[in-house]
Amino acid sequence: MRKEYDFSKGKRGAVIAAAGKTRITIMLDDDVIQHFRELAEAQGTGYQTMINAALRSAMNPPAEPGKPITAAALRKVIREELSMLRKPA
């Protein structure tokens, strides 16, 4: 270990910014966090990822029963599913 390190060219913040993501502060109830943490642990994924998926599904409610799905909606679902498969665990 060195006695001194040169941080004169250092930058604050995350080393690599996540594309398409924004860091925010949000207050959630303890039971909600605990629920998602338990689900995430059982499925081997991150609880924040699961919360994000739940919020995304609320943005895109399922089609009404008996109503045909549009080609655009089907493409969107397929893209989302494919992107989830490509993400590293």
Side-chain angles (χ1 to χ4, degrees), residues 29-74:
D29 293 337
D30 292 339
D31 60 329
V32 172
I33 298 289
Q34 186 61 34
H35 171 77
F36 279 101
R37 282 186 175 159
E38 289 169 2
L39 282 177
E41 187 172 327
Q43 294 182 15
T45 187
Y47 76 96
Q48 292 177 343
T49 300
M50 295 190 80
I51 292 171
N52 196 45
L55 291 170
R56 187 172 306 283
S57 70
M59 289 171 37
N60 304 313
E64 296 175 27
K67 186 176 179 183
I69 188 167
T70 64
L74 180 59

